[in-house]
Amino acid sequence: MKKLFSKADAVLIAVLLLIAAAALFFRMRGSAGEERFARIEKDGETISYFRLSEDLPYREYEIGGAVPVTIAAENGAVWFLHSECPDRLCVRFGKLSKTGETAVCLPARVAVTVEGEKKAVDAVTG
Amino acid sequence: MRLRDEKKVRSARRIAAIGIFAALALVLSFLEGLLPPLPMMPPGAKLGLSNIVTMFVASSQGLLPALLIAVLKGLFAGVTRGFTAMALSLAGGVLSTAVMYFLFKTKKFGLIGVGVSGAFAHNAAQLLCAYFLTSKTMLWYAPWLCVLSAATGTLTGLLLRAVLPLLEKLERE
């Protein structure tokens, strides 16, 4: 009978969780006080990049190709509105508004990401 | 003469066993698709129940039969869900099967450790595929996939321990 759990297993799981916790911690620290931008990519190339301001008026992006998708943005959030792909996972990601949030439609090769950029005034310290 | 017949019977049995296990893996991945999506995790995150089968075959039958099952699973995904699903399934299935096989060989890891490594290899391969197919930003998911692998891999290890007597019986008959 094979053993269920060993010391090596415990080390492996601890390392995995530590890496995840460290990465998430640094990401959260880095994203404070940033201006947010949305990036829309198709086949790995940026096709649209715009500021996600809180008062952004509603807009839609229709992206053609073998699997057409529609992306919408409004009031500081961006999301997959519609997709012709079979499983619609991209639509299930919901609205993205925080830095680092990503939704992707693999069949369409389209990705949407919220990115942060430091405001210029942040550099002034006193 | 007698010896040769016995050999033939044994290899026929082996092929039949691999066929049964491949069918079992397909059924499990189909049933898994019926479960509701995991809460708190990115859409598309799955338990990886059929990994139980590849894991068992990797430990009892060797690397090639286990890889064969992973490839069959990938082709099945291609037939039912399209090219992207096939590429993702093949990348994840083949890499995780190889990793699980080699960890069994070291004899240092238990079922849970092998399950977690397999889940992690599966997720990492798929994340890299998504990275090359769509966007570098996919790497934002990496920390969540570490957490996800630890959880689902542990479950796979526990479940395999639970069904091990059944699978061994299936293999012998």
Side-chain angles (χ1 to χ4, degrees), chain B residues 100-118:
Chain B
M100 291 192 289
Y101 173 76
F102 286 113
L103 287 192
F104 272 129
K105 281 231 133 171
T106 65
K107 295 203 162 74
K108 283 209 170 66
F109 292 88
L111 291 177
I112 288 180
V114 175
V116 170
S117 314

Side-chain angles (χ1 to χ4, degrees), chain A residues 23-44:
Chain A
L24 290 172
F25 175 73
F26 282 111
R27 185 186 300 178
M28 268 184 225
R29 240 180 37 157
S31 65
E34 281 179 341
E35 259 187 301
R36 288 171 299 113
F37 290 82
R39 184 189 293 281
I40 302 175
E41 283 167 290
K42 163 124 180 112
D43 297 321

Side-chain angles (χ1 to χ4, degrees), chain B:
Chain B
M1 197 58 201
R2 186 73 206 271
L3 206 69
R4 260 175 78 192
D5 281 352
E6 238 169 60
K7 244 185 178 171
K8 264 191 198 159
V9 168
R10 222 180 292 157
S11 80
R13 265 194 182 169
R14 209 166 160 211
I15 290 169
I18 293 170
I20 290 172
F21 286 126
L24 198 58
L26 293 185
V27 168
L28 279 177
S29 60
F30 171 75
L31 287 179
E32 186 176 69
L34 302 179
L35 294 175
L38 298 180
M40 303 276 301
M41 285 294 161
K46 281 183 283 184
L47 290 176
L49 290 181
S50 64
N51 262 18
I52 295 174
V53 179
T54 36
M55 194 171 157
F56 174 71
V57 175
S59 77
S60 75
Q61 307 254 350
L63 183 59
L64 278 180
L67 283 178
L68 192 64
I69 289 176
V71 170
L72 281 173
K73 235 185 86 188
L75 295 180
F76 185 72
V79 171
T80 53
R81 291 186 291 137
F83 174 79
T84 317
M86 179 172 78
L88 287 181
S89 172
L90 280 177
V94 168
L95 185 71
S96 73
T97 304
V99 164
M100 291 192 289
Y101 173 76
F102 286 113
L103 287 192
F104 272 129
K105 281 231 133 171
T106 65
K107 295 203 162 74
K108 283 209 170 66
F109 292 88
L111 291 177
I112 288 180
V114 175
V116 170
S117 314
F120 181 72
H122 203 281
N123 288 333
Q126 299 202 324
L127 190 72
L128 283 179
C129 273
Y131 172 94
F132 287 117
L133 287 178
T134 56
S135 161
K136 291 189 194 91
T137 53
M138 287 313 291
L139 291 186
W140 283 97
Y141 280 119
W144 291 116
L145 289 185
C146 291
V147 178
L148 183 72
S149 320
T152 61
T154 303
L155 186 72
T156 322
L158 288 173
L159 282 175
L160 178 54
R161 165 45 79 78
V163 297
L164 203 54
L166 285 173
L167 288 176
E168 276 170 348
K169 207 176 149 216
L170 197 67
E171 193 180 31
R172 272 198 306 273
E173 276 168 6

Side-chain angles (χ1 to χ4, degrees), chain A residues 56-99:
Chain A
L56 186 76
Y58 183 81
R59 51 168 97 180
E60 278 182 15
Y61 295 87
E62 285 186 20
I63 302 166
V67 182
V69 298
T70 309
I71 289 161
E74 187 182 26
N75 299 341
V78 59
W79 66 95
F80 276 89
L81 188 67
H82 177 75
S83 166
E84 297 289 328
C85 63
D87 48 14
R88 307 272 156 78
L89 285 177
C90 47
V91 177
R92 286 225 310 263
F93 278 91
K95 295 192 175 187
L96 317 175
S97 59
K98 293 192 201 74
T99 306

